[in-house]
Amino acid sequence: MSEVRPLLHIENLSVTFRSEEGAVRAVDDVSIVLNPGEIVGVVGESGSGKSVTSLSVMRLIADPPGKISAGKITYTGRGEEVDLLSLPEREMRSYRGNDIAMIFQEPMTSLNPVMKCGKQVAEAIVVHQKCSLREAREKTIALFKEVKLPRPEAMYDSYPHQLSGGQKQRVMIAMALSCEPSVLIADEPTTALDVTVQKTILELLRNLQKERGMGVIFITHDLGVVAEIADRVVVMYRGKVVEEGPTQKVFFQPQHPYTKGLLACRPPLDRRLKRLPVIADFVDAGEKQSVEVTQAQLAYTPPEIAAHQEKLYAQEPMLEIRHLQKWFPVRKGLFKRTVDHVKAVDDVSFSVYPGETLGLVGESGCGKTTLGRTILKLTEPTGGQILYRGKDITSCSASEMRPLRKNLQIIFQDPYSSLNPRLTVGQALMEPMQVHGIGANNRDRREKVVELLEKVGLQSAHFNRYPHEFSGGQRQRVVIARTLTLNPEFIICDESVSALDVSVQAQVLNLLNDLKKEFNFTYIFISHDLSVVKFMSDRMVVMNQGRIEEMGNADKIYRNPQSEYTKQLIAAIPASNPAVER
């Protein structure tokens, strides 16, 4: 019996980028084999070289500053071996998109915002398949049906901003499949999506791969996601492949400390840890990791949890929300008359106690963020009451709210867009202190800012750097430090870890818990990921379509959910166990 030839073979690939500090090797001697009809998961943190490897296959590395300095990429999909790296650019264009297609990480930046979604897919079909616009439209609508987009004809004429995150990702998948490729590279296609949307996208990709017999390279930072979809796993760390093998073997018998760290970073669902393990517990400790990791994984006992909650709920509430509403008018016609309302928050009531973390969980569009913004009076409520420390602040004017802003803070979802790119980190942190008159002078404020930067795990040298000079996890720490400058007692964390690597996410969650203990903060922690909310929260509120589905002890809701919606959220959490997933 003849041996099956790999569909795609990356051999000893090295990619170097030139920078002010000198040459940086982003990919270092990487070899990956993709067989026909196989899904290979490539896993690692941001900066591990995953995306650079995939862009090298597509020959999309910009030179300068990047350069493929060594290696060979062999493709056999047309019946003969072709080294993609040695092809002239004109020939490579016939393979790119046609034989080897890619779903990029961020659909909103990959889609043209001023061009209708259907036309963007049809354009790719016309270019590669030399057919008429009418035929391309028919094929595009058929693809939209295949990727299960609702109302395919309407979606064809919609712009990207009119679609949800999951719908935009399906358009990207349709575009990638439009020329029936034999190799599909999916680069973080589910990052920052709701767990329920993520699950449907993964099921869709798996089904399409089986139907079309494609080879798929699936890139992600989350080993739990890989458990759902991959046949084999390749683990990358600092530009190198540190471990590879069948999914089951990598999960149940991981060899490299980094792989063990990635597996441990996701919050477990069967117990409440005092602290999440992080990569450094494994990689820095090497073989002597047992003591550190055991300490990191100590879980709270049921009596400890019960005693904490009894003390917590014996107090008077810090915040009381009574029948809160936020409705947005739907206006139509020449005179923009109000014909209906979108009930983003609809008759919501709950209390938050001093020192509590209240988790707020639900899919995108359920009203979580609107509720958070309404509580802080960043958007005016339509009805109901907001009581802070017994005082009704519902009808407070902007000037009346200003003194209270010091105590009521928010950490926004996207740290990059919430920082002024023209201000250094030091200026950004000193600004709220100047507004509220904290500190005798700028020298005092600077000392306080440096202290806070070190408190959140950054350095004093970062004071004069700009936001674009930081990684996503570092920017999130900067935003947390800015929140601390005003010494607040109540903080809303709005999806503050949703787009971070699982390893960086673990660091930020530990940081938030450490700060809570040190400063006795009270949190409302908003997320679409129920496993993260369960780790962080004393109580949990599950929201759906502007209303509360259920509310109560976080562990009890996970063990015994009452509503079908909560059961669906729990079922969508990646199990980090391929045996369970399969």
Side-chain angles (χ1 to χ4, degrees):
M1 186 175 172
S2 62
E3 190 178 338
V4 176
R5 285 194 301 177
L7 181 59
L8 189 74
H9 191 183
I10 303 169
E11 298 177 73
N12 309 113
L13 179 70
S14 292
V15 182
T16 306
F17 285 86
R18 291 189 293 279
S19 69
E20 291 177 2
E21 286 79 27
V24 177
R25 184 160 284 190
V27 174
D28 190 4
D29 197 29
V30 164
S31 296
I32 299 171
V33 172
L34 176 67
N35 295 311
E38 182 182 41
I39 301 178
V40 173
V42 181
V43 189
E45 299 169 284
S46 294
S48 63
K50 313 181 303 291
S51 295
V52 174
T53 301
S54 65
L55 290 168
S56 300
V57 174
M58 300 291 287
R59 292 259 304 269
L60 292 174
I61 300 290
D63 184 9
K67 187 177 183 181
I68 298 172
S69 48
K72 185 179 179 184
I73 300 176
T74 308
Y75 172 68
T76 61
R78 294 187 182 180
E80 59 181 7
E81 290 190 0
V82 177
D83 181 7
L84 298 176
L85 298 183
S86 64
L87 289 176
E89 177 57 28
R90 186 167 182 174
E91 274 188 64
M92 184 62 202
R93 280 187 206 134
S94 71
Y95 286 89
R96 192 187 294 129
N98 216 6
D99 295 70
I100 306 168
M102 189 165 177
I103 304 166
F104 292 97
Q105 185 168 351
E106 178 47 68
M108 195 63 209
T109 56
S110 303
L111 292 169
N112 187 333
V114 296
M115 190 175 182
K116 291 176 180 176
C117 293
K119 288 190 176 179
Q120 297 190 51
V121 179
E123 184 181 60
I125 295 171
V126 170
V127 168
H128 287 284
Q129 298 186 12
K130 312 298 181 192
C131 60
S132 67
L133 280 170
R134 184 176 177 180
E135 289 173 312
R137 178 187 169 88
E138 289 170 2
K139 287 185 178 183
T140 300
I141 290 171
L143 279 167
F144 281 2
K145 288 176 182 173
E146 191 177 359
V147 299
K148 297 181 171 54
L149 269 170
R151 302 172 289 109
E153 288 85 358
M155 288 291 173
Y156 187 96
D157 293 315
S158 298
Y159 290 96
H161 72 271
Q162 296 175 296
L163 276 59
S164 70
Q167 289 171 341
K168 285 196 281 276
Q169 201 59 274
R170 287 166 192 264
V171 170
M172 287 296 298
I173 294 169
M175 190 183 294
L177 298 178
S178 61
C179 299
E180 301 185 4
S182 56
V183 174
L184 178 65
I185 300 171
D187 185 7
E188 299 269 17
T190 59
T191 299
L193 293 180
D194 295 346
V195 284
T196 47
V197 178
Q198 173 178 276
K199 195 171 184 71
T200 59
I201 293 290
L202 292 175
E203 286 172 358
L204 172 65
L205 282 171
R206 195 164 50 211
N207 292 336
L208 290 170
Q209 182 265 338
K210 285 178 183 173
E211 289 166 13
R212 291 170 173 248
M214 296 181 295
V216 176
I217 294 177
F218 189 95
I219 295 168
T220 181
H221 61 258
D222 191 342
L223 270 164
V225 171
V226 165
E228 296 198 29
I229 198 167
D231 302 305
R232 280 193 305 116
V233 180
V234 175
V235 182
M236 289 187 70
Y237 178 57
R238 294 183 177 174
K240 290 179 178 285
V241 172
V242 294
E243 186 162 355
E244 63 177 303
T247 306
Q248 296 256 13
K249 186 179 179 185
V250 171
F251 270 78
F252 295 118
Q253 297 172 333
Q255 301 301 307
H256 196 276
Y258 179 69
T259 311
K260 294 173 185 177
L262 279 180
L263 283 165
C265 281
R266 267 197 83 83
L269 292 165
D270 57 343
R271 61 198 187 283
R272 183 182 288 271
L273 296 185
K274 294 181 178 178
R275 188 175 189 80
L276 286 175
V278 295
I279 295 293
D281 295 332
F282 294 82
V283 174
D284 294 349
E287 294 303 314
K288 298 174 183 176
Q289 60 179 292
S290 55
V291 175
E292 288 183 68
V293 176
T294 303
Q295 291 297 322
Q297 289 183 326
L298 282 174
Y300 288 105
T301 62
E304 282 179 317
I305 294 170
H308 167 70
Q309 299 208 333
E310 184 181 349
K311 182 181 176 184
L312 205 60
Y313 302 124
Q315 309 172 89
E316 289 295 315
M318 176 185 287
L319 187 76
E320 293 176 83
I321 307 301
R322 298 177 182 172
H323 308 291
L324 193 64
Q325 293 178 319
K326 179 58 187 179
W327 295 6
F328 294 95
V330 177
R331 295 187 171 93
K332 285 187 178 179
L334 183 64
F335 298 104
K336 300 293 181 186
R337 290 193 176 93
T338 301
V339 295
D340 202 355
H341 287 87
V342 174
K343 298 178 181 179
V345 177
D346 192 22
D347 195 25
V348 167
S349 299
F350 60 83
S351 298
V352 187
Y353 293 82
E356 181 183 26
T357 298
L358 181 75
L360 197 55
V361 68
E363 297 173 286
S364 293
C366 72
K368 310 185 300 292
T369 296
T370 303
L371 175 58
R373 292 177 64 86
T374 306
I375 288 170
L376 294 185
K377 296 289 299 294
L378 298 176
T379 181
E380 285 299 318
T382 306
Q385 285 182 296
I386 307 162
L387 276 74
Y388 169 63
R389 294 285 187 192
K391 179 184 177 182
D392 189 347
I393 63 169
T394 320
S395 56
C396 282
S397 65
S399 59
E400 289 171 320
M401 280 298 297
R402 197 166 292 126
L404 296 175
R405 294 276 176 221
K406 282 195 296 185
N407 293 330
L408 309 172
Q409 286 289 303
I410 185 167
I411 300 171
F412 291 103
Q413 183 169 355
D414 181 359
Y416 193 69
S417 62
S418 60
L419 290 169
N420 187 334
R422 296 180 179 180
L423 294 182
T424 65
V425 161
Q427 290 168 330
L429 268 66
M430 285 171 64
E431 188 179 47
M433 298 171 76
Q434 290 164 341
V435 168
H436 287 279
I438 294 173
N441 51 47
N442 279 345
R443 185 178 175 179
D444 281 359
R445 293 180 191 116
R446 184 189 174 95
E447 287 175 5
K448 174 78 172 173
V449 166
V450 169
E451 181 188 330
L452 288 172
L453 287 174
E454 290 172 349
K455 185 82 71 180
V456 299
L458 296 172
Q459 299 166 13
S460 57
H462 292 142
F463 186 95
N464 292 315
R465 292 191 188 175
Y466 289 88
H468 72 271
E469 297 179 79
F470 293 89
S471 68
Q474 287 175 321
R475 279 197 289 266
Q476 197 61 273
R477 289 169 185 267
V478 169
V479 172
I480 292 168
R482 186 179 62 180
T483 302
L484 300 181
T485 58
L486 299 178
N487 302 317
E489 62 174 13
F490 174 75
I491 301 172
I492 293 179
C493 302
D494 184 11
E495 296 277 15
S496 51
V497 297
S498 63
L500 299 177
D501 293 348
V502 285
S503 53
V504 180
Q505 175 179 284
Q507 294 171 21
V508 173
L509 294 177
N510 286 339
L511 171 64
L512 288 169
N513 277 336
D514 290 344
L515 294 170
K516 178 185 174 181
K517 286 175 191 169
E518 184 173 350
F519 296 101
N520 196 31
F521 290 141
T522 303
Y523 289 135
I524 287 183
F525 191 89
I526 298 172
S527 178
H528 61 256
D529 189 337
L530 196 141
S531 62
V532 170
V533 170
K534 181 181 174 295
F535 168 72
M536 291 293 291
S537 308
D538 299 295
R539 282 186 305 144
M540 189 190 297
V541 174
V542 182
M543 279 191 76
N544 183 24
Q545 296 181 349
R547 287 180 167 266
I548 292 177
E549 283 277 333
E550 60 183 298
M551 174 170 55
N553 178 283
D555 296 295
K556 286 179 182 174
I557 286 181
Y558 174 73
R559 285 195 299 268
N560 187 25
Q562 299 301 304
S563 77
E564 281 302 314
Y565 179 74
T566 311
K567 290 174 185 176
Q568 288 171 17
L569 282 179
I570 292 169
I573 301 168
S576 293
N577 184 331
V580 172
E581 291 299 343
R582 301 298 167 88

